[in-house]
Amino acid sequence: MFTESEILETIDMLDNRHLDVRTVTASLSLLDCIDSSAKKCCDKVYDKITRVCARLVPVCDSLAARYGVSIVNKRIAVTPISLIGAASGAYIELAKTLDRAGKALGVDFIGGYSALVQKGATAAENRFLDTIPQALTETDIVCASVNVASSKAGINLDAIGKLGNIIKDLAYRTRDNNSFGCGKLVVFCNAVDDNPFMAGAFTGLAEGECTINVGVSGPGVVEYEINKHPDYDITDICELIKRTAFKITRLGQLIGTKAAEELGLTAGIIDLSLAPTPAVGDSVARILESIGLSKVGSCGTTACLALLNDAVKKGGVMAARKVGGLSGAFIPVSEDAGMIEAARSGALGIEKLEAMTAVCSVGLDMIAIPGDTSASVISAMIADECAIGMINNKTTAVRVIPVYGKTVGDEVCFGGLFGTAPIMAVSGENPDMFIGRGGIIPPPIHANKN
């Protein structure tokens, strides 16, 4: 039972501190839709998505009204399409089928136009990778991801080299929309099977038929609580964040459980991540500044982010039946008001962001860079992030947008939750020879355990 003070506190979090359920994501297996006939495969995919997930949006809307909580996004994640389409080769047709099915249901995004090539790519997977620019250009709500590295398999430099060119092609194809097609593509190391957040969500092969995974977020709540206690030392701050994360996560567990029950599906994981928005009072960067930084990007930023990430996980895990996804603190530049301001002022650069990715829950996320950045530089950025993830046995990712026709000093507006991005400077040194070597960077020695 909740006490009266707890109920009032939660109401205040919802009304004044931007506490929300960021996403309810239906994770749906499409393995039984595989067919050598392109038409049959697409028909099976459309029919299964629209049948199993038919009530996802109405149920979420009903729960939001019943409990007075904002459920910001309703999403679907599916089995990697590189696998579902291998028999038919109908990758573009499947992308359009996903788009059509998602729109018919009214979901915000549908993820899983994905491939897992961390140890190598088949001929079919290489053909799939080549379709990503066209697929994301010719659809609206489809999101893509590629896992190119893992702590067990190493780093697939061949795939990374290919993806630099894919990102450049996608940036050009969507140049009339600030190259935003790249915002729907994530490149991973150690991708997880149950991530509810886009653009990287897909349904792993070990997942069940259909589960409901929830991502809950409340950076504003954490910032508010810290600001109430300027006399706390760092140990006290960590304990405070843990208690606050527990309260935030309880809301996600409630919504996830109820959504699964009403949909007749399996309740999946709760992703404990603090996911910011461009709104004032909903920023992970402001949390770090409330701990004691004058500006994100200053010395001490990585330490503050590390303690935040760890405390969120420790507090949230006690309030959730199953924890999964990415879980921690997100640092997308364009989607966080504090990050935008720090990048705009020059306090925060890509080098510092890279250091922060060693202790956050994702990586170099929603970063706009000059449109003339070479494909090999983009590939090398991906390789650097994969190295951090591989060595530290954590998920890292790159969602970088080389904005066609823009350079350092410019800004682009992506709108909505995607926010505004200053164009950030990237090293102009040439990594062509490194990327051109190709091959596999072997996994670290500590991967050899059984």
Side-chain angles (χ1 to χ4, degrees):
M1 293 292 292
F2 295 106
T3 67
E4 181 179 346
S5 63
E6 287 177 317
I7 293 170
L8 292 173
E9 182 182 42
T10 302
I11 291 171
D12 180 62
M13 290 177 182
L14 294 168
D15 289 346
N16 302 312
R17 312 297 167 204
H18 298 279
L19 175 61
D20 59 47
V21 173
R22 188 57 47 85
T23 179
V24 173
T25 300
S27 178
L28 177 65
S29 173
L30 296 182
L31 289 174
D32 57 347
C33 298
I34 295 172
D35 201 293
S36 59
S37 163
K39 184 179 186 306
K40 288 181 180 178
C41 183
C42 290
D43 286 348
K44 289 178 182 179
V45 166
Y46 184 87
D47 290 345
K48 185 168 188 181
I49 292 173
T50 54
R51 171 174 50 83
V52 178
C53 302
R55 297 175 55 243
L56 177 64
V57 172
V59 165
C60 288
D61 289 344
S62 173
L63 290 172
R66 187 186 315 165
Y67 292 105
V69 57
S70 173
I71 300 177
V72 180
N73 274 200
K74 301 88 177 176
R75 300 162 172 170
I76 298 170
V78 300
T79 312
I81 294 299
S82 64
L83 303 176
I84 304 305
S88 66
Y91 297 122
I92 296 297
E93 294 92 333
L94 281 166
K96 293 180 178 179
T97 299
L98 295 179
D99 201 53
R100 188 161 51 91
K103 288 175 177 175
L105 297 178
V107 298
D108 297 279
F109 293 103
I110 184 162
Y113 199 77
S114 306
L116 309 176
V117 295
Q118 58 268 26
K119 199 170 184 179
T122 64
E125 284 166 332
N126 276 315
R127 288 193 294 272
F128 169 82
L129 294 178
D130 289 335
T131 69
I132 289 175
Q134 181 182 352
L136 295 188
T137 300
E138 296 182 3
T139 59
D140 296 314
I141 62 172
V142 172
C143 293
S145 61
V146 183
N147 193 68
V148 296
S150 74
S151 295
K152 193 72 175 174
I155 300 173
N156 186 344
L157 206 59
D158 291 319
I160 287 173
K162 195 177 187 74
L163 277 156
N165 289 296
I166 287 169
I167 290 169
K168 288 286 288 184
D169 185 6
L170 183 53
Y172 180 77
R173 288 173 184 250
T174 56
R175 63 193 180 279
D176 292 336
N177 189 27
N178 289 322
S179 298
F180 185 67
C182 299
K184 298 191 292 176
L185 170 62
V186 182
V187 185
F188 277 115
C189 172
N190 290 323
V192 296
D193 291 348
D194 52 11
N195 168 25
F197 286 97
M198 298 298 170
F202 64 87
T203 298
L205 297 182
E207 297 295 294
E209 183 68 12
C210 189
T211 58
I212 295 297
N213 298 324
V214 173
V216 65
S217 187
V221 177
V222 178
E223 180 194 359
Y224 175 75
E225 291 299 321
I226 293 173
N227 285 334
K228 288 198 303 185
H229 300 283
D231 57 325
Y232 275 16
D233 69 15
I234 285 298
T235 307
D236 294 331
I237 291 294
C238 292
E239 291 301 308
L240 177 63
I241 295 170
K242 284 163 59 177
R243 292 195 300 271
T244 306
F246 176 86
K247 297 171 185 176
I248 291 170
T249 306
R250 280 193 306 182
L251 175 66
Q253 183 64 67
L254 171 66
I255 296 298
T257 300
K258 294 296 183 183
E261 287 177 358
E262 297 194 15
L263 289 166
L265 300 173
T266 302
I269 60 90
I270 305 298
D271 189 311
L272 309 177
S273 296
L274 294 179
T277 72
V280 174
D282 200 24
S283 164
V284 168
R286 299 300 186 215
I287 297 175
L288 304 182
E289 291 167 357
S290 70
I291 293 172
L293 303 176
S294 60
K295 181 81 70 175
V296 165
S298 70
C299 294
T301 297
T302 306
C304 289
L305 181 59
L307 74 85
L308 172 65
N309 209 54
D310 182 62
V312 166
K313 291 181 180 182
K314 287 175 177 173
V317 74
M318 298 300 294
R321 293 180 182 176
K322 299 177 186 177
V323 174
L326 299 172
S327 287
F330 289 1
I331 53 170
V333 174
S334 77
E335 299 175 3
D336 185 308
M339 294 287 183
I340 295 168
E341 182 181 310
R344 185 182 288 148
S345 70
L348 181 64
I350 285 181
E351 292 80 5
K352 187 62 178 180
L353 278 165
E354 184 180 299
M356 294 165 67
T357 64
V359 297
C360 78
S361 59
V362 196
L364 294 174
D365 194 18
M366 286 303 290
I367 296 173
I369 60 175
D372 62 359
T373 305
S374 71
S376 64
V377 167
I378 294 170
S379 294
M381 292 174 67
I382 295 170
D384 283 343
E385 274 303 293
C386 288
I388 291 172
M390 178 183 73
I391 295 297
N392 292 291
N393 200 30
K394 71 181 293 293
T395 301
T396 53
V398 173
R399 185 164 49 150
V400 64
I401 305 171
V403 185
Y404 187 83
K406 300 292 185 181
T407 191
V408 176
D410 295 331
E411 285 195 8
V412 289
C413 180
F414 300 124
L417 290 175
F418 299 107
T420 299
I423 305 297
M424 301 184 72
V426 181
S427 172
E429 298 302 318
N430 188 342
D432 287 0
M433 184 176 177
F434 165 57
I435 298 300
R437 287 182 183 275
I440 302 289
I441 298 176
I445 188 65
H446 57 253
N448 293 310
K449 54 187 177 183
N450 207 335

